Each structure stands twice: as structure tokens, then as C-alpha cells.
Amino acid sequence: MQGKHILLGVTGGIAAYKSADLVRRLRERGAEVQVAMTPAAREFVGPITFQALSGRPVRIDLWDSAAEAAMGHIELARWAELVLIAPASADFLARLAGGKADDLLSTLCLATEAPIAVAPAMNRIMWGNAATAANVALLRQRGVHVLGPAEGAQACGEVGEGRMLEPQDLADRLAELLPRDGPLRGRRVLITAGPTRERIDPVRFISNRSSGKMGFAVAQAAREAGAEVVLVSGPVALPTPHGVRRVDVESAQAMLEAVQREIAQANIFISTAAVADYRPASPAEQKIKKTSDRLHLDMERTVDVLATVAARPERPFVVGFAAETESVEQNARGKLLNKNLDMIAANEVGHTKGFDCEDNHLVVLWRNARQDLGSGPKLALARELVRLIAESYTASLTGARHLDTVRA
Ligand code: CTP
């Protein structure tokens, strides 16, 4: 965190006293911390405390002409490399979700391009309220990182979910969110992962055995390599890697739409998802009854997400995966050419291989070259793969075309 600019927003909640300690933790790690408080936060902790700990005057009022003359609020929004709101009250979350700019802190959040994280802190019933849940879901969808809350005893005497994370924990998580050094620093990587579900009727679907583990490992590895990572995931039971923005989808169509929303910003697209190739042509509105001995489902093709991205006029660097049960390399090479990809990672799947296991075996193919990454844990393979992607992508920018021509 050495020298990193962190804007700490403190809103009105009893957990504000913990934020004073948080300032110390961040400063210990070398960060520069600028505190901005809402007027309500001042009712809990005085600005002098934050000023003494951060070494900078605290900003509270949008209309403070002396502070604005020193560093205007737009300048301050640009200064921030990361914004953390801790504690984030239910009211502030609602205002952030509503795009309000009626006080200094909400204006800063609207005016910054830095990643925003919130550490909610409130009574457990307020946290469980449908309005708060909807606001938090919307914020997550927009890429806000939601840290916590934790469970435990609350200041109001109740026990439950809603406590702010401890300062040490928050500082650790923040370190994960800061822009990182690495071969993909400053690059945006969009990744799809997991299976999709195609609806048969309101209670049934068709899916596949993909666990999402390989795609989540690739997302973690890309983040470790310094990239800003967006992970579009089908239904899986995996935690989101730290610092990665995740968008959850169900069907192939929803995955396509989510990818289309994000693709213009992506430098690299990695398609690890096991997208359904077919879906029921007309899903039943009501649960299908077992009235006959046989049931025939009429299926139609889904759109190929990867091929759609690769066919864009302004396309990113495109990496596919090939899941094969036979003639692995030959089939993968066919997909590399037919879908017009820059690279493809081939793996054998089925029975005890590839899908839903901890280990994998990957062979990476370019148009004129191949590299066998061997077998191993998915994260180790993902790191190797990301190293190759970064090399190949960089070579493509410097006019060396892709690594295939360099190697060939
Ligand atoms: N893919 C996709 N959208 C689809 C189908 C596949 O984006 N509707 C992507 C996968 O994420 C993968 C690549 O295409 O990166 C190859 O997927 P795979 O399932 O191996 O092959 P398919 O193209 O579906 O062809 P087949 O099932 O005939 O092998």
C-alpha cells in the first residue's frame, strides 16, 4: 500500500469509532489516507481524531470554500486510487445506489473513477431489509466491492449479521483491491466461467458438470498479474477471488448479454465457461406433468458467446477453451481457426477428467505453435496460462503479431 491514495468515507454509525483504528492500520502500511465524513458521522466521532491519525484535515462539507480552494472535490475524486466507505450506513448505501450527489461524500463517489468499496455496518434487521438488500445487489452489479458485514453482537444489543468488519481485516481486503504491479497491470480482462442453465419449465433446467473452478482460477491468476478482472459466472458454489468483480448469470443468453455490456472495456477476453450449445425452444410456463411415457424436448441452438466476441470489428485479444473427450488437440485447433481466436487452451474432459475436479491438463495452441502446460492443480495451470496470455497479448500490441509467429 506504500504511497497509495485512499479516500476513506465515514458515515453515521457507531462503528465509526473503529474507522479511527482503520486509518492507523492503513497508514502503518504506507497508504496516504484522506478522510471525508458525512455530517451524521460527526455525531459519533470528532473530525479532530481523524485529522490527527491521518495527518490531513478532514473534509465534510461540499460548500467549505477554504477546503475547496486547497483541493476541489473533483480533484479529490481524481486523487483517490481507491475509495472505501467504512462504516457504510443503510442510508448511505441507499443514496449511493440512487446516484445522489447531495453531500460531499456522495458527490466524491459519483465523480471518481477509482474502485469503490463499502463496509456496511447496521442493525441486523436493517441489513436484512429488502430495500437494503436491493440496494446492495444493485451496487454489486455496478462493480462496488461489498466487504462484509460480519456476524456477532451488535451495539444495539442484538446478535446477527450487520457488524462492520474489523479494521485489520478491512485493511487486508483493501490491499487486494488496489491496482497491482504485474504483466497485466492496467489491462482489463473479461472472463466467463461455470456452466449455464437452460430452462425447461419453472422448476427444471438443462446444465452440465462444469464447476467453474478453472475459470475462477484464471480470474485469480489474472488479478494476481495486475489486471482489472470482471468474471461473468454461471451458477457455481465458489467464492469470488479477492479483487475480482463478479457478475452472476444463469442462461447462455444472459451470459451473452452480460459479456456484451462489458466487452467494449476489455483488452482480453477469456472464455472458460461451459456454455450450453442448445436450449429448450419453448420452455413451459407451468411445471410439465408426467402424463406420457416419453417426453421429447425440442431444442434450439444458443448463440456462441466466444465466436460473437471474436467477430467484433473492435475485438479484444480472444482466448478460448476447448473441452474435448477425444482427439483433443485436433478438435481444439479446429475451434481456434473456425472461431477466429488468438489462442486456445485445450483440455480433456469426461469421467474423472477436467470437469469438477481439482487438477487439469492443458495444452495451449496458437495458429503455428503449441505448448503443453502438463498436469497440475488448476490454479498453478491458470498462472502459467495467464503468463502466456500476457506475453502473447503484449507481443500482439508491439506489432510482433502473436507469440505463435515469434515462436514459429
Ligand atoms: N462457447 C461459447 N458459447 C457457446 C459455446 C461455447 O462461448 N454457446 C465457448 C466456450 O466458452 C469455449 C469454446 O467456446 O471457450 C469452446 O467450447 P466447447 O464446448 O469446447 O465447444 P463448442 O464450440 O461448444 O463445440 P462442441 O460442443 O461441438 O465441441
Side-chain angles (χ1 to χ4, degrees):
M1 282 193 173
Q2 194 60 43
K4 297 284 189 228
H5 295 175
I6 296 177
L7 179 71
L8 174 64
V10 182
T11 74
I14 184 63
Y17 80 91
K18 288 194 200 173
S19 302
D21 189 32
L22 176 60
V23 175
R24 286 194 47 210
R25 305 274 170 207
L26 297 173
R27 298 268 290 154
E28 272 166 17
R29 292 169 190 229
E32 286 190 43
V33 183
Q34 169 67 57
V35 177
M37 302 175 83
T38 60
R42 268 194 317 194
E43 304 294 328
F44 293 90
V45 183
I48 297 293
T49 306
F50 285 111
Q51 179 172 322
L53 292 169
S54 68
R56 289 166 171 267
V58 172
R59 300 290 299 265
I60 299 171
D61 192 358
L62 193 53
W63 311 111
D64 179 338
S65 50
E68 279 290 311
M71 195 196 290
H73 61 275
I74 297 293
E75 225 178 308
L76 184 53
R78 281 199 205 113
W79 172 89
E81 290 172 88
L82 187 82
V83 176
L84 169 67
I85 312 296
S89 64
D91 178 66
F92 192 79
L93 293 174
R95 292 196 298 120
L96 194 57
K100 293 276 200 180
D102 53 1
D103 65 6
L104 178 68
L105 193 51
S106 54
T107 306
L108 288 170
C109 289
L110 214 54
T112 192
E113 283 186 325
I116 300 179
V118 294
M122 65 198 75
N123 162 275
R124 69 178 177 87
I125 297 172
M126 291 171 82
W127 174 249
N129 188 291
T132 307
N135 290 330
V136 171
L138 186 60
L139 291 173
R140 277 205 172 100
Q141 220 180 67
R142 291 188 189 146
V144 172
H145 300 275
V146 181
L147 311 180
E151 274 195 38
Q154 301 202 301
C156 52
E158 298 197 21
V159 178
E161 202 177 3
R163 279 168 62 101
M164 188 170 93
L165 293 184
E166 293 305 319
Q168 189 68 43
D169 195 3
L170 277 178
D172 288 344
R173 300 216 195 181
L174 228 49
E176 300 284 349
L177 297 181
L178 279 164
R180 297 193 157 199
D181 287 331
L184 290 179
R185 185 188 164 99
R187 306 294 179 200
R188 294 197 167 130
V189 179
L190 178 62
I191 300 171
T192 63
T196 63
R197 285 180 181 173
E198 309 303 324
R199 209 162 73 83
I200 299 173
D201 70 16
V203 293
R204 303 182 179 98
F205 55 80
I206 292 179
S207 191
N208 59 62
R209 289 185 49 200
S210 166
S211 63
K213 283 179 188 154
M214 192 66 222
F216 275 56
V218 172
Q220 180 177 334
R223 176 65 195 150
E224 286 170 1
E228 241 181 76
V229 181
V230 179
L231 177 61
V232 177
S233 175
V236 296
L238 295 172
T240 311
H242 284 312
V244 167
R245 176 154 72 82
R246 171 167 164 185
V247 179
D248 286 323
V249 296
E250 270 208 20
S251 65
Q253 184 59 27
M255 185 168 274
L256 175 73
E257 287 165 17
V259 165
Q260 281 173 329
R261 277 195 298 275
E262 304 283 345
I263 197 68
Q265 286 86 46
N267 303 108
I268 298 172
F269 177 65
I270 310 175
S271 182
T272 76
V275 188
D277 291 326
Y278 293 90
R279 66 176 171 217
S282 10
E285 287 301 322
Q286 306 299 335
K287 187 180 164 210
I288 299 172
K289 293 290 181 190
K290 55 172 184 299
T291 44
S292 54
D293 286 343
R294 281 174 184 274
L295 173 71
H296 295 278
L297 280 177
D298 184 23
M299 306 277 279
E300 65 182 9
R301 283 280 288 271
T302 56
V303 179
D304 191 309
V305 181
L306 175 61
T308 309
V309 169
R312 284 172 67 89
E314 296 272 312
R315 58 175 243 164
F317 185 86
V318 183
V319 183
F321 264 69
E324 308 293 346
T325 53
E326 56 177 355
S327 311
V328 178
E329 281 195 44
Q330 195 186 337
N331 286 335
R333 192 162 287 286
K335 286 173 189 173
L336 175 77
L337 299 177
N338 294 338
K339 300 195 189 195
N340 191 25
L341 312 178
D342 295 298
M343 248 172 105
I344 195 159
N347 61 338
E348 195 175 335
V349 295
H351 310 295
T352 55
K353 287 184 178 157
F355 274 10
D356 203 10
C357 14
E358 298 308 321
D359 285 13
N360 207 357
H361 181 164
L362 286 187
V363 179
V364 180
L365 304 175
W366 295 260
R367 274 165 203 259
N368 306 317
R370 76 186 280 281
Q371 187 161 337
D372 190 338
L373 297 185
S375 301
K378 287 181 172 172
L379 184 56
L381 287 175
R383 287 182 177 136
E384 274 300 293
L385 177 66
V386 164
R387 190 179 59 73
L388 290 179
I389 293 173
E391 261 180 60
S392 201
Y393 168 70
T394 311
S396 76
L397 293 182
T398 54
R401 300 214 18 247
H402 299 147
L403 201 60
D404 51 355
T405 47
V406 178
R407 280 165 199 268

